Amino acid sequence: MEGEVPARAGRGVRELCEQGTGLHEAARNVRTDHAAAVAAVRAAFDPLQAELVALELESIPVARLRDVTGGRLRLGAVEAAGLRTVRAVHEASRHELRQVPGVGEQTADRALAAARQIARAVADTVTVRIDVDHPEPRTTALVIALHRLVEAGPELRRALDTAERLDTRLAELLPAARPAGGRLRLALARRERRERALAAAAELGALLTDAAATDVRLLLAQASTDLLRPAASDVEAWVDFELRPAEYYGRLAEVSEQRPDTAASEGFVPSEVAERVHAQRLDDTHRRVSLRGYQEFGARFALAQRRVVLGDEMGLGKTVQAVAALAHLAAEGHSHFLVVCPAGVLINWTREIRARSTLRVLAVHGPDRQDAHADWRERGGVAVTTFDVLHTLPAPDGTPPGMLVVDEAHYVKNPDTRRSRSVAVWTGRCERVLFLTGTPMENRVEEFRALLRHLRPDLVPTVSDTEAAAGPHAFRRSVAPAYLRRNQEDVLTELPALVHTDEWVELGPADRAAYHEAVAEGNFMAMRRAAYADPETSAKLRRLREIVAEAAANGLKTVVFSYFRDVLDAVRQGLGDSAFGPIAGSVPAARRQRLVDDFTGASGHAVLLSQIEAGGVGLNLQAASVVILCEPQVKPTLEHQAVARAHRMGQIRAVRVHRLLATDSVDDRLLRILARKERLFDAFARRSDMADATPEAVDISDASLARRIVEEEQQRLSAPTKTTTT
């Protein structure tokens, strides 16, 4: 009957509405408390940004206002009145401008509008940096305000998303369901309204049941508690900032809306790929870290595209993006994951997974690797193993891992190696595969094709030598479904300055004699390290000691890279035994990490020595703000990697890079020839507007480079020609 009232109406609905009202209030409180915390950050941030904008506007001549208005603005009277910069106009009021002889109402309004337009554009480009070495009241206020958001942790984002969803839905459901709370009222209501009230009550009940099952009330209560904590002290806030600056800058980017260019943060992928990635959900249930916008896009890209290369420049957090993808898949019910990496970063992977997620992690390495593998197969989690161990593990049978992650994937660019064959077996069995590498292209486009053969063989034919020679844009279009790369300068606007200095010296008598002997022998490697032949008189070593002494005077940590172990031994002899290291290929992974931890934990100045191929991969050295390269590298990517160990997300000071070079030597020749290899790397592994690469530049090899340099030096020094050795 139309007037019949269902049994579930009445008191039961009133109780649901009471519970819903309480949940609605909790959700609105979280949003209000968060808005207050954000307002505190804005109040500290805005004056700092305004000052930077004013400084920029001060450097812009007032004539630029004419450009903004299409040349229609008459500025003669304004300039004659002494308002010669855009800042002067921007800070003037309409009334003040109209008091200037010859400036009418229209000119004043147009000038102010143009100045404000330029100021808005400048505000999008300036970056507020927090100088930990020179704290002052305004930046201290900003750090304290940010501390509250950072302390709330990664759960805050989930709480806010939940609160927003509940606030919106409950605001609709509660008024709609309340008529069902009174049986008489419901009986007298029209059928359409009665049915609407009962449907709303049913949906409200389901919403409350789900909220209880997922502890939503606790999530909201914890968020409000965190947001309402008393402000931290100056010291507490600054110390915490030094411990986790990346999280502070991440929250600042969210609040200030100082986000990188969208196209750059999404790797300039085509719109159809970007749309598919945006549609991919990202579950954070098992994640313990907040993601930057570009990192979230990277994790979604890996999930949406399934078999991809994440080629972000070093220092942008490829590991955390991989962990986010694994955490999402775990939330969907996947239980087994496999990470393959070089031995030197295995410990770093296990530490990162434990710190950034709730996932179980096992190191399948060393004498107990078979037991660890059996444990992983039985109980699940993330197994982390090395390229050298992978071939000893049985290929997956039955259900493969939910995702295979291969770190430093350029290690498998040669299909004939055992490591490449082992990886190929696993990539063939896994539906989702994520390759991580900051250098997918080193010398040849063929190396990148080798990675694609593991993942998307259908794309390989589109990456031809002809297309490579056509330039980076054609190259990126052809691999967009399986390749994502972002650069530091595009997405980490808060990074302090990176200052490169080439330190040229002249070889001393002993070093020059050693150099001539190496040239005569055709020994390329001996030529590269001849500058350290006599540590007592070495000009390079003398300059290195000066740089280290300057860093020590300023309390700065320094990392010294060389390709050669004996060069590092000479450096240690020159510096004394106080230096940490060296980190070398022969040093076990656990020992490497301890050296980095000890170096990072040392109070004040410290020096860490490292072979560039061992320390330039996987280790985080952002405690260092001075980097010394003992010699130029044959592969430009080695230098990029090494510098990025320090100049990466989390760095809080400017990084100074000093490259030691000897005049009239192999260093001169190497830099000139490598210029083309540098351009090749920039054009293809990075997004670049440089001229199209030539096939000859693509095909240069390390061996041919060494022969060329030796032959040129033998001719220059008129030394007898001998077969080149490398």
Side-chain angles (χ1 to χ4, degrees), residues 496-513:
L498 179 63
V499 182
H500 283 272
T501 303
D502 282 346
E503 306 277 357
W504 289 94
V505 300
E506 291 187 359
L507 295 174
D511 295 336
R512 185 162 297 282

Side-chain angles (χ1 to χ4, degrees), residues 130-135 143-144 146-147 150 233-249 554-557 600-604 622-625 648-653:
I130 302 172
D131 188 349
V132 70
D133 290 323
H134 302 93
V143 172
I144 290 173
L146 287 169
H147 179 268
V150 172
S233 67
D234 296 9
V235 173
E236 181 184 0
W238 276 112
V239 168
D240 194 58
F241 172 78
E242 287 214 50
L243 290 174
R244 42 180 177 172
E247 295 183 38
Y248 279 76
Y249 276 121
N554 290 279
L556 303 177
K557 286 184 167 61
T600 301
S603 177
Q622 60 260 48
S625 48
R648 58 194 294 114
M649 187 170 59
Q651 176 59 260
I652 56 178
R653 296 180 174 88

Side-chain angles (χ1 to χ4, degrees), residues 326 335-341 345-355 357-366 368-386 389-390 393 405:
L326 298 179
S335 59
H336 291 70
F337 309 98
L338 179 65
V339 174
V340 183
C341 62
V345 297
L346 184 141
I347 291 177
N348 186 61
W349 265 101
T350 59
R351 291 170 63 162
E352 286 291 294
I353 292 170
R354 289 192 184 101
S357 75
T358 62
L359 303 179
R360 180 173 182 261
V361 61
L362 300 92
V364 182
H365 186 61
D368 298 327
R369 60 182 178 273
Q370 295 300 335
D371 290 341
H373 179 255
D375 185 11
W376 171 67
R377 294 189 64 174
E378 179 182 351
R379 300 175 56 197
V382 184
V384 183
T385 192
T386 66
V389 170
L390 184 64
L393 304 180
V405 179

Side-chain angles (χ1 to χ4, degrees), residues 318-319 339-342 345 348-349 387 405-412 434-438 617-618:
K318 291 188 290 293
T319 301
V339 174
V340 183
C341 62
V345 297
N348 186 61
W349 265 101
F387 290 108
V405 179
V406 180
D407 193 16
E408 305 294 347
H410 50 276
Y411 279 36
V412 299
L434 175 57
F435 278 8
L436 306 178
T437 175
V617 175

Side-chain angles (χ1 to χ4, degrees), residues 519-533:
V519 171
E521 292 293 327
N523 190 329
F524 179 67
M525 291 303 193
M527 290 164 58
R528 293 181 62 203
R529 58 185 188 270
Y532 300 90

Side-chain angles (χ1 to χ4, degrees), residues 137-149:
R138 293 183 305 170
T139 53
T140 298
L142 178 59
V143 172
I144 290 173
L146 287 169
H147 179 268
R148 178 175 279 112
L149 294 176

Side-chain angles (χ1 to χ4, degrees), residues 394-701:
D397 53 358
T399 304
M403 177 175 276
L404 168 67
V405 179
V406 180
D407 193 16
E408 305 294 347
H410 50 276
Y411 279 36
V412 299
K413 64 192 176 187
N414 184 348
D416 297 327
T417 61
R418 186 176 66 188
R419 65 173 60 141
S420 293
R421 292 194 297 270
S422 300
V423 168
V425 170
W426 284 80
T427 57
R429 304 283 181 89
C430 296
E431 181 182 353
R432 293 182 179 85
V433 183
L434 175 57
F435 278 8
L436 306 178
T437 175
T439 56
M441 291 246 341
E442 289 188 354
N443 294 324
R444 296 184 177 92
V445 175
E446 177 58 33
E447 294 173 1
F448 191 74
R449 284 204 293 260
L451 299 187
L452 286 182
R453 287 190 186 98
H454 288 283
L455 304 172
R456 292 285 304 272
D458 57 305
L459 293 177
V460 174
T462 69
V463 190
S464 63
D465 288 332
T466 302
E467 184 142 17
H473 300 294
F475 173 80
R476 291 175 70 85
R477 281 195 303 271
S478 68
V479 299
Y483 176 54
L484 178 66
R485 181 177 178 84
R486 282 76 57 89
N487 301 320
Q488 283 190 355
E489 62 188 19
D490 292 327
V491 297
L492 287 187
T493 56
E494 80 274 6
L495 270 180
L498 179 63
V499 182
H500 283 272
T501 303
D502 282 346
E503 306 277 357
W504 289 94
V505 300
E506 291 187 359
L507 295 174
D511 295 336
R512 185 162 297 282
Y515 182 75
H516 282 234
E517 181 180 349
V519 171
E521 292 293 327
N523 190 329
F524 179 67
M525 291 303 193
M527 290 164 58
R528 293 181 62 203
R529 58 185 188 270
Y532 300 90
D534 184 356
E536 295 296 325
T537 63
S538 168
K540 277 194 177 184
L541 190 52
R542 181 170 60 251
R543 180 61 188 134
L544 184 148
R545 286 196 297 265
E546 292 170 353
I547 296 168
V548 169
E550 182 180 353
N554 290 279
L556 303 177
K557 286 184 167 61
T558 302
V559 58
V560 179
F561 287 112
S562 175
Y563 186 85
F564 305 100
R565 176 63 184 265
D566 55 352
V567 169
L568 293 176
D569 291 340
V571 172
R572 173 178 282 282
Q573 180 180 338
L575 295 179
D577 293 332
S578 59
F580 293 90
I583 293 174
S586 60
V587 176
R591 173 63 179 160
R592 294 188 202 186
Q593 190 61 55
R594 282 198 299 273
L595 285 170
V596 173
D597 291 345
D598 291 345
F599 169 72
T600 301
S603 177
H605 169 71
V607 178
L608 176 67
L609 308 180
S610 177
Q611 279 189 283
I612 198 163
E613 287 196 312
V617 175
L619 299 175
N620 297 331
L621 303 173
Q622 60 260 48
S625 48
V626 177
V627 176
I628 300 175
L629 303 171
C630 290
E631 70 283 321
Q633 302 305 309
V634 175
K635 293 181 179 180
T637 52
L638 279 181
E639 291 190 13
H640 283 294
Q641 289 174 328
V643 172
R645 293 297 106 208
H647 192 250
R648 58 194 294 114
M649 187 170 59
Q651 176 59 260
I652 56 178
R653 296 180 174 88
V655 176
R656 301 167 181 84
V657 181
H658 301 265
R659 182 164 56 176
L660 303 178
L661 305 164
T663 59
D664 298 324
S665 75
V666 62
D667 296 349
D668 261 331
R669 302 285 181 181
L670 192 56
L671 291 187
R672 284 201 295 270
I673 295 176
L674 284 179
R676 287 202 312 161
K677 290 181 73 176
E678 183 82 32
R679 285 196 295 271
L680 171 71
F681 178 82
D682 283 341
F684 287 93
R686 301 167 62 93
R687 182 178 183 267
S688 174
D689 296 325
M690 302 178 77
D692 292 348
T694 64
E696 291 79 10
V698 173
D699 290 334
I700 192 168
S701 70

